[in-house]
Amino acid sequence: MVTYYKKTNGEGVQVEDTRIAVIMVGLPARGKSLIAQKVVRYLAWLSISAKAFNVGSYRRADTPQPTADFFDTTNTDGERLRHAAAEAAVADMIKWFNNDYGVVAILDATNSTKARRRWVKQRCDANNIETLYVESKCDQEELIMSNIMEVKTTSPDYKGQDPEAAAKDFRNRIRNYEKVYQTIDEDEKDLTYVKLIDVGGQVIINQIKDYLQSRVVYYLMNLHIKPRSIWLSRHGESNFNLEGKIGGDADISVRGEMYAKALPDLVASSVAPDQKLTIWTSTLKRTIQTARFLAASPKGYDKLEWKALDELDSGVCDGLTYQEIADRYPEDFRARDDDKYNYRYRGGESYRDVVIRLEPIIMELERSENIIIVTHQAVLRCIYAYYMNVPQEQSPWMEVPLHTLIKLTPRAYSTEEVRFKGNIPAVSTFRTKGSTAKHQ
Amino acid sequence: MDTLLTADVAANSPRYRRKSSTFVDAIHDMPETGELAPAQLYSTESGRLFHSGRIAIATVGLPARGKTHVSVALARYLRWLGVKTRVFHLGDYRREHVGDGKDVPDDYFFVNASASTVLLRQKILKKCRDDIYHFLNHENGQIAIYDAVNPLAAGRRSLAREFGKHDVETLFIESACDDEKIIEENVRSVKISSPDYVGWSADDAVKHYLARMSAKIPHFETMEETDLNYIKMINAGERISVNNCSFGYLSHRIVFYLLNLHIKSRHTYFARAGTSKQEDSFKTDTSLSEEGKEYANKMGETLIRHREKERQAMVDRGGPNVPLKMLTVWTSTRRRTVETSQYLYENGYRVRQRSQMSQLNPGVCEKKSERRIRLEYPEEVAKHEADPYHHRYPRAESYHDLAVRLEPIILELEREQNDLLIIAHESVLRVLYGYLMACNATDIPSLSFPRNEIIEIIPASYNNEATRITIPGIQEKLIPSSPEDIKIPVPPSGAVTPMGLDSSTPKRNTGSPLNGVATPSEPGDGQQLLIERALRGDR
């Protein structure tokens, strides 16, 4: 008989019975953890269950802050403990696949020898899990340095230590790994792998087996590991905001105009003077007006308008207040509160729809360096949710005040957030569940 | 108004723009401006998407490495996404220049050709490039695919420089292949379908082709220019090597697509699911009715018999006596499609269920007759009639939603190496067919897949072809669209019934899914059927 059971994962990108272990390969300070975190976030954002297993954090259970000697291959004690950590991480990963219907796991470790990679493959093969090796190979001194600086300040291995001593120790650790490191080569041509050389400058993709693998590779190709930040802002207060109406293509209000004028200084306070910055807006008047003083600033920032950044289309409710929606479409109003992420306005969009149309934006964001995005509440919530890993049940209810600039900086272990208040009064457009208040 | 449409008017009106039937792959036709592509997420005034600028994709590779196939497949996918893409086959220009039935000089492909041949070559090249610039500069084109051999590094560099002068980024795609079997299979399929060999005997064509290849080999340089953007596909996608200088979103998207593409040829079959016990219910996932089971068996038998007959015909024509390519069956996860595959499953065929292939969600229209929908949602019906592809009824999906949801399936479809039978709801078949045959978004909702036919899509490097396989002995009442289809794509205004569509479309007996020829041939029959259904739906 044909069996009927198949697991699905929402309506975005779906997978069937594929289970993939993404095995990171590379020397320390090549951005492996950053890549692992990003892949997890991206897949979760697309409703695919994903989890990273960081071997380092298993090792830290026994050896919280080892010195570089620990990573010397001639140190048998260190070797044994490191192998035990890898064992534990792989065992947990397999358990997660089997018990929690995991779809994509990322094994975040150096996996620097051919023998280690074979061992991981055998463990996965025995459990019907596909393996995809992702090697980050990079010899650009500048990039490695900036990663070392990053690690010494953010890694739990060096918490509370003198930064200079930490950097020195970390470099010795890298040297110990370099002694045994084997890059993926022709001996391993039976493996499914991606080799990212010099941060995507050159990519070799071998034996891709299915759609989901190709999707992960596609995402990886868009990534870079150079330091960068993203600034997010809603448009300045609009005339529709004042009236409590949603959607439309209104001009910004007098106070919105004040925010637009204040934006260049607000941005300048958090951007290094020599940093390049590109401005992205939607195609609606209120974001273009808000960004126009910034665009005209003597820094000569480039500006692009994206249709995909336009506000969530509220269909027949466009131009109505929440009270009017509750009066005219009471069922819809309730349905939206029940499941705001999936609710689709009549003739309009849901948050899920917005996520799908933002895919090119996310890819472009990953490719780019410093970007400021001036957009709308719902779109900003989706982009924010991607960077901060906010679950779908929460993201549509997040409060994102007007006249506030958010700076996000992706780091190896998490994304850092700083908010800058414009100190220009505005109405609140935030609506709590069940409320029809015009302004709260 | 539909009744007033003469065949001529219909053929020239935007809605029925396709001059050829939808049985012909439209990949080489250009869509009307302003028309949205099936999976296009948004449109811009310039007509260009993703801020990716204008790109010339130049193929690189010896003959019979699948360059034309890659060019056409890529164009199909990019257009599906809404990117204005056109393929310029240098071979077409060559043929146009020398005229029908005539051949280019013997030394045409030689590096040390005579002066007159070089002159001819340059003339042909110039015409092709002029057309490329015209497309990119004056027709809002975004991607021009230049399908040529481009064998030498120096030539490629100067090509990239020339495009660069016109503010066009160049991306090279090399098809490299050292697997003799792949090359041979490709030679066979190219010699059969390429217009180069119309009127040639098979042996002569192969000989000429091989001669042409060996003439090329000493002068071919594989891509190693690190200063150029290139994608190298090795052995039909086994390995892909990417050299990236200035990739934009679109270039990455192209790699993504190529990761799923192979250059082996295979057939795709489309068949409807059998009828179920509760035909009008979307939410209850019911099993096949007795009639549905009967249909499933007949469909399976017919397909197996047809494939064996085709194989025999090939052997009789002097082709190699090789076993059939494996056949894989895809169904959705809904019971009736899975159960329709039962016969084939029991006969040893592999069946895979794909959750993304479940039918268009009818939303509030579920279990409602067309009459009731018209009564309850007159505004929605009007909107639907204006744009049946993009409109969605309350709580329902539009065809556009379905197309976006099917993206993983489209890529898996490209990835599949076996022959493939897709058993799905008519709405899903419409969209997948629309992709493979490059149909307009406006045509897709009215494609018709009668139950007494299996549609077969035969790939060729130049374009795909569709044919129909009749399933004998199917009861009349099972043949037309399933009731929920009638309720969802409400017909254009003026048509009395959805069946009325076929009485107004041109060439109704030429057999295209567009004109739904296998629906009852007398308009009266159609109406009768609809009334019956309307009654059933209202009860």
Side-chain angles (χ1 to χ4, degrees), chain A residues 2-4 8 14 16 186 193 200-209 211 214-215 218 221-222 305-307 332 344 348 359-360 364 367, chain B residues 42 50-51 238-242 244 247-249 252-253 255-256 259-260 335 338-339 342 353-356 392 395-396 401 408 411-412 415:
Chain A
V2 184
T3 48
Y4 288 106
T8 72
Q14 297 185 353
E16 302 255 306
E186 279 304 293
Y193 69 79
Q202 213 190 340
V203 185
I204 297 164
I205 306 158
N206 195 57
Q207 302 276 11
I208 291 300
K209 295 282 193 306
Y211 169 77
S214 73
R215 183 99 197 181
Y218 167 50
M221 290 189 56
N222 281 289
E305 287 169 22
W306 293 87
K307 181 88 178 161
D332 287 76
R344 178 185 273 153
E359 197 253 20
E364 196 60 28
R367 283 185 352 91
Chain B
Y42 59 90
F50 310 118
H51 287 294
E238 216 173 78
R239 181 175 297 180
I240 291 181
S241 164
V242 178
N244 175 3
F247 267 25
Y249 173 78
H252 284 293
R253 188 95 197 191
V255 178
F256 175 44
L259 285 175
N260 289 288
R335 259 165 222 275
V338 178
E339 290 179 3
Q342 187 69 16
Q353 297 174 32
R354 318 298 318 250
S355 56
Q356 299 99 322
R392 53 170 93 88
R395 305 279 79 79
D401 294 334
L411 290 172
E412 291 256 21
R415 167 166 286 287

Coordinates of all heavy atoms in Angstrom, one line a residue, chain A residues 2-4 8 14 16 186 193 200-209 211 214-215 218 221-222 305-307 332 344 348 359-360 364 367, chain B residues 42 50-51 238-242 244 247-249 252-253 255-256 259-260 335 338-339 342 353-356 392 395-396 401 408 411-412 415:
Chain A
V2 N 0.3 2.3 -0.6 CA 1.0 3.6 -0.5 C 0.6 4.2 0.8 O -0.5 4.2 1.3 CB 0.5 4.5 -1.7 CG1 1.2 5.8 -1.7 CG2 0.6 3.8 -3.0
T3 N 1.6 4.7 1.5 CA 1.3 5.4 2.8 C 0.9 6.8 2.6 O 1.3 7.5 1.6 CB 2.5 5.3 3.7 OG1 3.6 5.8 3.0 CG2 2.8 3.9 4.2
Y4 N 0.1 7.3 3.4 CA -0.4 8.7 3.3 C 0.4 9.7 4.0 O 0.3 10.8 3.8 CB -1.9 8.7 3.7 CG -2.8 8.1 2.7 CD1 -3.4 6.8 3.0 CD2 -3.0 8.6 1.5 CE1 -4.1 6.2 2.1 CE2 -3.8 8.0 0.6 CZ -4.4 6.7 0.9 OH -5.2 6.1 0.0
T8 N 4.8 18.0 6.4 CA 4.9 19.3 5.7 C 5.3 20.3 6.7 O 5.2 20.1 7.9 CB 3.6 19.7 5.0 OG1 2.7 20.2 6.0 CG2 3.0 18.6 4.2
Q14 N 8.6 23.9 1.1 CA 8.3 22.7 1.8 C 9.3 21.6 1.4 O 9.9 21.6 0.4 CB 6.9 22.2 1.4 CG 5.9 23.2 1.9 CD 4.5 22.7 1.7 OE1 4.3 21.6 1.1 NE2 3.5 23.4 2.2
E16 N 10.1 17.3 1.8 CA 9.4 16.0 2.1 C 10.2 15.2 3.1 O 10.3 15.7 4.2 CB 9.2 15.3 0.7 CG 8.5 16.2 -0.3 CD 7.0 15.7 -0.4 OE1 6.9 14.6 -0.7 OE2 6.1 16.6 -0.3
E186 N 40.0 16.2 -4.5 CA 39.5 15.1 -5.5 C 39.2 13.8 -4.8 O 38.4 13.0 -5.2 CB 40.4 14.9 -6.6 CG 40.2 16.0 -7.7 CD 38.8 16.1 -8.3 OE1 38.4 15.1 -8.9 OE2 38.1 17.1 -8.1
Y193 N 29.3 18.6 -1.7 CA 30.0 19.7 -0.9 C 29.9 21.0 -1.7 O 29.7 21.1 -2.9 CB 31.4 19.3 -0.6 CG 32.4 19.2 -1.8 CD1 32.9 20.4 -2.4 CD2 32.8 18.0 -2.3 CE1 33.8 20.3 -3.4 CE2 33.7 17.9 -3.3 CZ 34.2 19.1 -3.9 OH 35.1 19.0 -4.9
G200 N 33.0 33.5 -1.3 CA 32.1 33.5 -2.4 C 32.7 34.0 -3.7 O 32.0 34.0 -4.7
G201 N 34.0 34.4 -3.7 CA 34.6 34.9 -4.9 C 34.6 33.7 -5.9 O 34.4 33.9 -7.1
Q202 N 34.9 32.6 -5.4 CA 34.9 31.4 -6.2 C 34.1 30.3 -5.4 O 34.3 30.2 -4.2 CB 36.3 30.9 -6.5 CG 36.5 30.3 -7.8 CD 37.9 29.7 -8.0 OE1 38.8 30.0 -7.2 NE2 38.0 28.7 -8.9
V203 N 33.3 29.6 -6.1 CA 32.5 28.6 -5.4 C 32.5 27.3 -6.2 O 32.4 27.3 -7.5 CB 31.0 29.0 -5.3 CG1 30.2 28.0 -4.5 CG2 30.9 30.4 -4.7
I204 N 32.8 26.2 -5.6 CA 32.7 24.9 -6.3 C 31.6 24.1 -5.6 O 31.6 23.9 -4.4 CB 34.1 24.2 -6.2 CG1 35.1 25.0 -7.0 CG2 34.0 22.8 -6.9 CD1 36.5 24.6 -6.7
I205 N 30.7 23.6 -6.4 CA 29.6 22.9 -5.9 C 29.6 21.5 -6.5 O 29.6 21.3 -7.7 CB 28.3 23.6 -6.3 CG1 28.3 25.1 -5.9 CG2 27.0 22.9 -5.7 CD1 27.4 26.0 -6.7
N206 N 29.6 20.5 -5.6 CA 29.7 19.1 -6.1 C 28.6 18.2 -5.7 O 28.2 18.2 -4.5 CB 31.1 18.6 -5.5 CG 31.5 17.3 -6.2 OD1 31.7 17.3 -7.4 ND2 31.7 16.2 -5.5
Q207 N 28.0 17.5 -6.7 CA 27.1 16.4 -6.4 C 25.8 16.8 -5.6 O 25.5 16.2 -4.6 CB 27.7 15.3 -5.7 CG 28.9 14.7 -6.4 CD 28.5 13.6 -7.4 OE1 27.3 13.5 -7.7 NE2 29.4 12.9 -8.0
I208 N 25.2 17.9 -6.0 CA 24.0 18.3 -5.2 C 22.9 17.3 -5.5 O 22.6 17.0 -6.7 CB 23.6 19.8 -5.6 CG1 24.6 20.8 -5.1 CG2 22.2 20.1 -5.1 CD1 24.8 20.8 -3.6
K209 N 22.2 16.8 -4.5 CA 21.3 15.7 -4.6 C 19.8 16.1 -4.7 O 19.0 15.4 -5.2 CB 21.5 14.7 -3.5 CG 22.8 14.0 -3.4 CD 22.9 12.9 -4.5 CE 24.1 12.0 -4.3 NZ 25.4 12.7 -4.2
Y211 N 16.5 19.3 -4.1 CA 16.1 20.7 -4.1 C 16.5 21.4 -2.9 O 17.0 22.6 -2.9 CB 14.6 20.8 -4.3 CG 14.0 22.2 -4.1 CD1 14.2 23.1 -5.1 CD2 13.4 22.5 -2.9 CE1 13.7 24.4 -4.9 CE2 13.0 23.8 -2.7 CZ 13.1 24.7 -3.7 OH 12.7 26.0 -3.5
S214 N 20.0 22.4 -2.9 CA 20.3 23.5 -3.8 C 19.9 24.8 -3.2 O 20.5 25.8 -3.4 CB 19.7 23.2 -5.1 OG 18.3 23.4 -5.1
R215 N 18.8 24.7 -2.4 CA 18.3 25.9 -1.8 C 19.3 26.5 -0.8 O 19.5 27.7 -0.7 CB 17.0 25.6 -1.1 CG 16.3 26.7 -0.5 CD 15.2 27.2 -1.4 NE 14.8 28.6 -1.0 CZ 13.9 29.3 -1.5 NH1 13.2 28.9 -2.6 NH2 13.6 30.5 -1.1
Y218 N 22.3 27.9 -2.6 CA 21.8 29.2 -3.2 C 22.0 30.3 -2.1 O 22.5 31.4 -2.3 CB 20.4 29.1 -3.6 CG 19.7 30.3 -4.0 CD1 20.2 31.3 -4.8 CD2 18.4 30.5 -3.5 CE1 19.5 32.4 -5.1 CE2 17.6 31.6 -3.8 CZ 18.2 32.6 -4.6 OH 17.5 33.7 -4.9
M221 N 25.7 31.1 -1.3 CA 26.4 31.8 -2.3 C 26.1 33.3 -2.1 O 26.9 34.1 -2.6 CB 25.9 31.4 -3.7 CG 26.4 30.0 -4.0 SD 26.1 29.6 -5.7 CE 26.9 31.0 -6.5
N222 N 25.0 33.7 -1.5 CA 24.7 35.1 -1.3 C 25.4 35.7 -0.1 O 25.4 36.9 0.1 CB 23.2 35.3 -1.2 CG 22.5 35.3 -2.6 OD1 22.7 36.2 -3.4 ND2 21.9 34.2 -2.9
E305 N 15.0 52.1 -5.0 CA 13.6 51.9 -4.6 C 13.2 50.5 -4.9 O 13.4 50.0 -6.1 CB 12.6 52.9 -5.3 CG 12.8 54.3 -4.8 CD 12.1 55.3 -5.7 OE1 11.2 54.9 -6.5 OE2 12.4 56.5 -5.7
W306 N 12.6 49.8 -4.0 CA 12.2 48.4 -4.2 C 10.7 48.3 -4.1 O 10.1 48.6 -3.0 CB 12.8 47.5 -3.2 CG 14.3 47.3 -3.3 CD1 15.2 48.1 -2.7 CD2 15.0 46.3 -4.0 NE1 16.5 47.7 -2.9 CE2 16.4 46.6 -3.7 CE3 14.6 45.2 -4.8 CZ2 17.4 45.7 -4.3 CZ3 15.6 44.4 -5.3 CH2 17.0 44.7 -5.0
K307 N 10.0 47.7 -5.1 CA 8.6 47.4 -5.0 C 8.3 46.4 -3.9 O 7.3 46.5 -3.2 CB 8.2 46.9 -6.4 CG 6.7 46.5 -6.5 CD 5.9 47.7 -6.9 CE 4.5 47.3 -7.1 NZ 3.6 48.5 -7.0
D332 N -13.5 38.9 9.5 CA -12.1 39.0 9.1 C -11.3 39.6 10.2 O -10.1 39.2 10.5 CB -12.0 40.0 7.9 CG -12.5 39.3 6.6 OD1 -13.7 39.2 6.5 OD2 -11.6 38.8 5.8
R344 N -4.8 36.5 5.5 CA -4.7 37.3 4.3 C -5.9 38.2 4.1 O -7.0 37.7 4.1 CB -4.5 36.3 3.2 CG -4.4 37.0 1.8 CD -4.4 35.9 0.7 NE -3.1 35.4 0.5 CZ -2.9 34.2 0.0 NH1 -3.9 33.4 -0.3 NH2 -1.7 33.7 -0.3
G348 N -5.9 41.0 -0.5 CA -4.6 41.6 -0.2 C -3.6 40.5 0.2 O -3.6 39.4 -0.3
E359 N 11.9 37.6 -0.3 CA 13.1 36.7 -0.5 C 14.2 37.4 -1.3 O 15.3 37.3 -0.9 CB 12.6 35.4 -1.1 CG 13.6 34.3 -1.0 CD 14.3 34.0 -2.3 OE1 14.3 34.8 -3.2 OE2 14.9 32.9 -2.4
P360 N 13.9 38.0 -2.4 CA 14.9 38.7 -3.2 C 15.6 39.8 -2.3 O 16.8 40.0 -2.5 CB 14.2 39.3 -4.4 CG 13.0 38.6 -4.5 CD 12.6 38.1 -3.2
E364 N 19.5 39.9 -1.4 CA 20.3 41.1 -1.8 C 20.9 41.7 -0.5 O 22.1 42.2 -0.6 CB 19.4 42.1 -2.5 CG 20.1 43.2 -3.3 CD 21.0 42.7 -4.4 OE1 20.7 41.6 -4.9 OE2 22.0 43.4 -4.7
R367 N 24.0 39.9 0.3 CA 25.1 40.2 -0.6 C 25.7 41.5 -0.3 O 26.9 41.7 -0.5 CB 24.6 40.2 -2.0 CG 24.3 38.9 -2.6 CD 24.0 39.0 -4.1 NE 23.8 40.4 -4.6 CZ 24.7 41.1 -5.1 NH1 25.9 40.7 -5.3 NH2 24.4 42.3 -5.6
Chain B
Y42 N 6.2 40.9 -8.5 CA 5.8 42.3 -8.6 C 6.3 42.8 -10.0 O 7.1 42.2 -10.7 CB 6.4 43.2 -7.5 CG 7.9 43.1 -7.4 CD1 8.6 44.1 -8.1 CD2 8.6 42.2 -6.6 CE1 10.0 44.1 -8.0 CE2 10.0 42.2 -6.6 CZ 10.7 43.2 -7.2 OH 12.0 43.2 -7.2
F50 N 14.6 43.3 -9.7 CA 15.6 43.0 -8.7 C 16.8 43.9 -8.7 O 17.8 43.6 -8.2 CB 16.1 41.6 -8.9 CG 15.0 40.5 -9.0 CD1 14.9 39.7 -10.1 CD2 14.2 40.3 -7.9 CE1 13.9 38.8 -10.2 CE2 13.2 39.4 -8.0 CZ 13.0 38.6 -9.1
H51 N 16.7 45.1 -9.4 CA 17.8 46.0 -9.5 C 19.1 45.3 -10.0 O 20.2 45.6 -9.6 CB 18.1 46.7 -8.2 CG 17.1 47.8 -7.9 ND1 16.9 48.9 -8.6 CD2 16.2 47.8 -6.9 CE1 16.0 49.6 -8.1 NE2 15.5 49.0 -7.0
E238 N 26.9 17.6 -12.5 CA 27.5 16.9 -11.4 C 28.3 17.8 -10.6 O 28.3 17.7 -9.3 CB 28.4 15.8 -12.0 CG 28.5 14.5 -11.3 CD 29.3 13.5 -12.1 OE1 30.5 13.6 -12.0 OE2 28.7 12.7 -12.8
R239 N 29.1 18.6 -11.2 CA 29.8 19.6 -10.5 C 29.6 21.0 -11.1 O 29.6 21.1 -12.3 CB 31.3 19.3 -10.4 CG 32.1 20.3 -9.6 CD 33.6 19.9 -9.5 NE 33.7 18.7 -8.8 CZ 34.9 18.1 -8.5 NH1 36.0 18.7 -8.9 NH2 35.0 17.0 -7.8
I240 N 29.5 22.0 -10.3 CA 29.4 23.4 -10.8 C 30.4 24.2 -10.2 O 30.6 24.2 -9.0 CB 28.0 23.9 -10.6 CG1 27.0 23.1 -11.4 CG2 27.9 25.4 -10.9 CD1 25.6 23.6 -11.3
S241 N 31.2 24.9 -11.0 CA 32.2 25.8 -10.5 C 31.9 27.2 -10.9 O 31.5 27.5 -12.0 CB 33.5 25.3 -11.1 OG 34.5 26.3 -10.9
V242 N 31.9 28.1 -9.9 CA 31.4 29.4 -10.1 C 32.6 30.4 -9.8 O 33.2 30.4 -8.8 CB 30.3 29.8 -9.1 CG1 29.8 31.2 -9.3 CG2 29.1 28.8 -9.3
N244 N 33.1 34.3 -9.5 CA 32.2 35.5 -9.2 C 33.0 36.7 -9.1 O 33.8 36.9 -8.2 CB 31.5 35.2 -7.9 CG 30.6 36.3 -7.4 OD1 30.5 37.3 -8.1 ND2 30.0 36.1 -6.3
F247 N 28.6 39.3 -9.0 CA 27.3 38.7 -9.1 C 26.2 39.5 -8.4 O 26.3 40.0 -7.3 CB 27.3 37.3 -8.5 CG 27.6 36.2 -9.4 CD1 28.3 36.5 -10.6 CD2 27.2 34.9 -9.2 CE1 28.6 35.4 -11.5 CE2 27.4 33.9 -10.0 CZ 28.2 34.1 -11.2
G248 N 25.0 39.6 -9.1 CA 23.9 40.2 -8.5 C 22.9 39.1 -8.1 O 23.2 37.9 -8.3
Y249 N 21.7 39.6 -7.7 CA 20.7 38.6 -7.2 C 20.4 37.6 -8.3 O 20.3 36.4 -8.1 CB 19.5 39.3 -6.8 CG 18.3 38.4 -6.5 CD1 18.2 37.7 -5.3 CD2 17.3 38.3 -7.5 CE1 17.2 36.9 -5.1 CE2 16.2 37.4 -7.2 CZ 16.2 36.7 -6.0 OH 15.1 35.9 -5.8
H252 N 22.9 34.8 -9.0 CA 22.8 33.7 -8.0 C 21.6 32.8 -8.2 O 21.6 31.6 -8.0 CB 22.7 34.3 -6.6 CG 24.1 34.9 -6.1 ND1 25.1 34.0 -5.9 CD2 24.5 36.1 -5.9 CE1 26.2 34.8 -5.5 NE2 25.8 36.0 -5.5
R253 N 20.5 33.5 -8.6 CA 19.3 32.8 -8.8 C 19.5 31.8 -10.0 O 18.9 30.7 -10.0 CB 18.2 33.8 -9.1 CG 16.8 33.2 -9.2 CD 16.1 33.4 -8.0 NE 15.0 32.5 -8.0 CZ 14.0 32.5 -7.1 NH1 14.0 33.3 -6.1 NH2 13.0 31.7 -7.2
V255 N 22.4 30.4 -10.8 CA 23.1 29.2 -10.3 C 22.2 28.3 -9.6 O 22.3 27.0 -9.8 CB 24.3 29.7 -9.4 CG1 25.0 28.4 -8.8 CG2 25.2 30.6 -10.0
F256 N 21.3 28.8 -8.8 CA 20.3 28.0 -8.1 C 19.6 27.1 -9.0 O 19.4 25.9 -8.8 CB 19.4 29.0 -7.3 CG 18.3 28.3 -6.6 CD1 18.4 27.2 -5.8 CD2 17.0 28.9 -6.6 CE1 17.3 26.6 -5.2 CE2 15.9 28.4 -6.0 CZ 16.1 27.2 -5.2
L259 N 21.7 24.4 -10.6 CA 22.0 23.3 -9.7 C 21.0 22.2 -9.8 O 21.2 21.1 -9.4 CB 22.0 23.8 -8.2 CG 23.2 24.6 -7.8 CD1 22.9 25.1 -6.4 CD2 24.4 23.8 -7.8
N260 N 19.8 22.5 -10.3 CA 18.8 21.5 -10.4 C 18.6 21.0 -11.9 O 17.8 20.1 -12.1 CB 17.4 22.1 -10.0 CG 17.4 22.3 -8.5 OD1 17.4 21.3 -7.7 ND2 17.5 23.5 -8.0
R335 N -5.7 12.0 -1.1 CA -6.1 10.6 -1.3 C -6.3 10.3 -2.8 O -5.9 9.3 -3.3 CB -7.3 10.2 -0.5 CG -7.0 9.5 0.7 CD -8.2 9.5 1.6 NE -7.8 9.7 3.0 CZ -7.4 8.8 3.8 NH1 -7.3 7.5 3.4 NH2 -7.0 9.1 5.0
V338 N -3.2 10.0 -4.9 CA -2.4 8.8 -4.5 C -3.1 7.6 -4.9 O -2.4 6.7 -5.5 CB -2.2 8.8 -2.9 CG1 -1.4 7.6 -2.5 CG2 -1.5 10.1 -2.5
E339 N -4.4 7.4 -4.8 CA -5.1 6.2 -5.1 C -5.1 6.0 -6.7 O -5.2 4.9 -7.2 CB -6.5 6.2 -4.6 CG -6.4 6.0 -3.0 CD -7.8 6.0 -2.4 OE1 -8.8 6.1 -3.1 OE2 -7.8 6.0 -1.1
Q342 N -2.3 3.9 -7.8 CA -2.3 2.6 -7.2 C -1.9 1.5 -8.2 O -1.1 0.7 -8.0 CB -3.6 2.3 -6.5 CG -3.6 1.0 -5.7 CD -2.8 1.1 -4.4 OE1 -2.4 2.2 -4.0 NE2 -2.4 -0.1 -3.9
Q353 N 5.0 11.2 -3.2 CA 3.9 12.1 -2.9 C 4.6 13.5 -2.6 O 5.6 13.6 -1.9 CB 3.2 11.7 -1.6 CG 2.5 10.4 -1.8 CD 1.8 9.9 -0.5 OE1 1.4 10.7 0.3 NE2 1.8 8.6 -0.4
R354 N 4.0 14.5 -3.2 CA 4.5 15.9 -3.0 C 3.4 16.8 -2.4 O 2.4 17.0 -3.1 CB 5.0 16.5 -4.3 CG 5.7 15.5 -5.2 CD 7.0 15.0 -4.6 NE 7.7 16.1 -4.0 CZ 8.8 16.7 -4.4 NH1 9.4 16.2 -5.5 NH2 9.3 17.7 -3.8
S355 N 3.6 17.2 -1.2 CA 2.6 18.0 -0.6 C 2.3 19.3 -1.3 O 1.2 19.8 -1.2 CB 2.9 18.3 0.9 OG 4.2 18.9 1.0
Q356 N 3.3 19.9 -2.0 CA 3.1 21.2 -2.6 C 2.1 21.1 -3.8 O 1.6 22.0 -4.3 CB 4.4 21.8 -3.2 CG 5.4 22.0 -2.1 CD 6.4 20.9 -2.1 OE1 6.1 19.7 -2.2 NE2 7.7 21.2 -1.9
R392 N -8.0 36.1 -6.4 CA -8.4 35.0 -5.5 C -9.7 35.3 -4.8 O -9.9 36.4 -4.4 CB -7.3 34.8 -4.5 CG -6.7 35.9 -3.7 CD -5.8 35.4 -2.6 NE -4.4 35.4 -3.0 CZ -3.6 36.4 -2.8 NH1 -4.0 37.6 -2.3 NH2 -2.3 36.3 -3.1
R395 N -10.5 33.8 1.0 CA -9.9 32.5 1.6 C -9.4 31.5 0.6 O -9.0 30.5 0.9 CB -11.0 31.8 2.5 CG -11.6 32.6 3.6 CD -10.7 32.7 4.8 NE -9.7 33.7 4.6 CZ -9.9 35.0 4.7 NH1 -11.0 35.5 5.0 NH2 -8.9 35.9 4.5
A396 N -9.4 31.9 -0.7 CA -9.0 31.0 -1.7 C -7.6 31.3 -2.2 O -7.0 32.3 -1.8 CB -9.9 31.0 -2.9
D401 N -0.8 32.3 -6.8 CA -0.4 31.7 -5.5 C 0.1 30.3 -5.7 O 1.1 29.9 -5.2 CB -1.5 31.7 -4.5 CG -2.0 33.1 -4.1 OD1 -1.2 34.0 -4.1 OD2 -3.2 33.2 -3.7
P408 N 9.3 24.8 -5.7 CA 10.2 23.6 -5.5 C 9.9 22.5 -6.5 O 10.8 21.8 -6.9 CB 9.8 23.2 -4.1 CG 9.2 24.4 -3.4 CD 8.5 25.2 -4.6
L411 N 11.6 23.1 -9.8 CA 13.0 22.8 -9.8 C 13.2 21.2 -9.7 O 14.1 20.7 -10.3 CB 13.7 23.5 -8.7 CG 13.7 25.0 -9.0 CD1 14.2 25.8 -7.8 CD2 14.6 25.3 -10.2
E412 N 12.4 20.6 -8.9 CA 12.5 19.1 -8.8 C 12.2 18.5 -10.2 O 12.7 17.4 -10.5 CB 11.6 18.5 -7.7 CG 12.1 18.9 -6.4 CD 12.7 17.8 -5.6 OE1 13.2 16.8 -6.3 OE2 12.8 17.8 -4.4
R415 N 15.1 18.5 -12.1 CA 16.1 17.6 -11.5 C 15.9 16.2 -11.9 O 16.8 15.4 -12.0 CB 16.1 17.9 -10.0 CG 16.8 16.9 -9.2 CD 16.9 17.4 -7.8 NE 17.9 18.5 -7.7 CZ 19.2 18.3 -7.8 NH1 19.7 17.0 -7.9 NH2 20.1 19.3 -7.8

